[in-house]
Amino acid sequence: KRSFFEKNIDNFERNLELARLNVEKLNKKVMDNIEIEFTKLVEKQKKTIYTVCYFFSKDTDEVNDLFQEILINLWNGFKTFRCESDIKTWVWRVSLNTCNTQERRKKSRVQTIPLTMDIDLYNDTDVKSKQIQMLYNRINRLEVFDRAIILLWLENMSYDEIGAIVGISAKNVSVRLFRIKEQLKKMSNK
């Protein structure tokens, strides 16, 4: 005959196994929910992410690589995002930091000569397109930090939002934007 102690150990082991199974089910539900929320975030913010990617590169393959790197960094930080800032601000910041990091790595790599085609698929001949292209060519000659600020400003973000993303005060954003605009005016159309 089994003792009271032995019966309770069996009950305890059964309950422990049920608790472990329940925890596994709960973890799966939480992970499924996190994946759903992350997918919603990417769908909502993919225009922002692609804007940053295209600002750092015009090469489609490189843009896709940057986009993937940003998604990896967003996923890695998504579970620990503390909601201390707006999610849009966080996405901008992760996107810019990822592209800045890739830009630094690219500069340290050996230069390669890309294959080129004689066809310009993006060649627009209207005046507005040429002006926009000229502006982006000038912006691409700015330092990375200044590029980030002007990009955010062109997205109609407030000085406070820009400051939160790049880590400076709104007043400093104002001063830097003034200086950046002056730089852009002085540049030639090379």
Side-chain angles (χ1 to χ4, degrees):
K1 204 168 187 184
R2 293 174 33 159
S3 71
F4 174 78
F5 182 71
E6 291 171 326
K7 288 178 189 176
N8 281 334
I9 286 179
D10 287 344
N11 284 337
F12 176 75
E13 287 174 348
R14 258 193 312 270
N15 287 338
L16 188 61
E17 181 61 23
L18 287 173
R20 190 184 63 71
L21 292 172
N22 285 335
V23 166
E24 285 177 8
K25 287 179 187 176
L26 182 63
N27 282 341
K28 183 174 178 355
K29 283 183 181 180
V30 167
M31 283 306 296
D32 289 347
N33 191 38
I34 288 172
E35 288 174 12
I36 290 167
E37 291 302 314
F38 183 75
T39 303
K40 287 179 187 176
L41 170 74
V42 171
E43 280 298 315
K44 189 174 178 182
Q45 298 295 326
K46 71 180 173 185
K47 179 182 176 270
T48 297
I49 298 168
Y50 268 118
T51 299
V52 174
C53 292
Y54 274 108
F55 201 73
F56 279 84
S57 178
K58 301 297 180 239
D59 178 61
T60 306
D61 291 335
E62 190 174 0
V63 166
N64 289 332
D65 289 345
L66 287 171
F67 189 85
Q68 285 181 342
E69 283 294 320
I70 291 168
L71 290 184
I72 290 167
N73 290 338
L74 288 171
W75 175 252
N76 288 337
F78 189 67
K79 291 175 256 180
T80 58
F81 177 65
R82 296 183 307 251
C83 299
E84 292 174 359
S85 64
D86 184 53
I87 192 84
K88 183 179 178 182
T89 301
W90 179 70
V91 169
W92 271 101
R93 191 169 204 143
V94 169
S95 299
L96 285 169
N97 287 341
T98 301
C99 288
N100 283 335
T101 300
Q102 294 302 320
E103 185 83 9
R104 281 193 301 274
R105 287 182 184 156
K106 188 168 61 173
K107 287 180 180 177
S108 66
R109 280 190 239 138
V110 176
Q111 287 289 68
T112 59
I113 301 172
L115 296 174
T116 59
M117 293 178 20
D118 292 336
I119 302 169
D120 185 1
L121 300 174
Y122 303 102
N123 189 13
D124 287 324
T125 56
D126 64 8
V127 174
K128 186 175 181 181
S129 293
K130 286 183 179 180
Q131 287 177 334
I132 291 171
Q133 187 60 46
M134 182 180 73
L135 175 63
Y136 278 105
N137 286 340
R138 288 180 180 192
I139 290 172
N140 280 329
R141 295 189 339 234
L142 294 171
E143 293 294 320
V144 173
F145 190 73
D146 291 341
R147 272 193 268 166
I149 292 172
I150 197 76
L151 170 67
L152 296 169
W153 181 75
L154 288 171
E155 288 289 322
N156 295 320
M157 290 196 161
S158 71
Y159 289 1
D160 289 327
E161 289 174 307
I162 295 170
I165 291 168
V166 299
I168 60 176
S169 69
K171 181 66 179 164
N172 200 336
V173 169
S174 171
V175 170
R176 289 194 77 115
L177 271 172
F178 176 79
R179 291 178 182 162
I180 291 167
K181 289 176 192 176
E182 290 300 311
Q183 273 183 283
L184 291 172
K185 287 177 193 175
K186 291 177 184 177
M187 284 183 189
S188 65
N189 294 328
K190 293 179 183 174

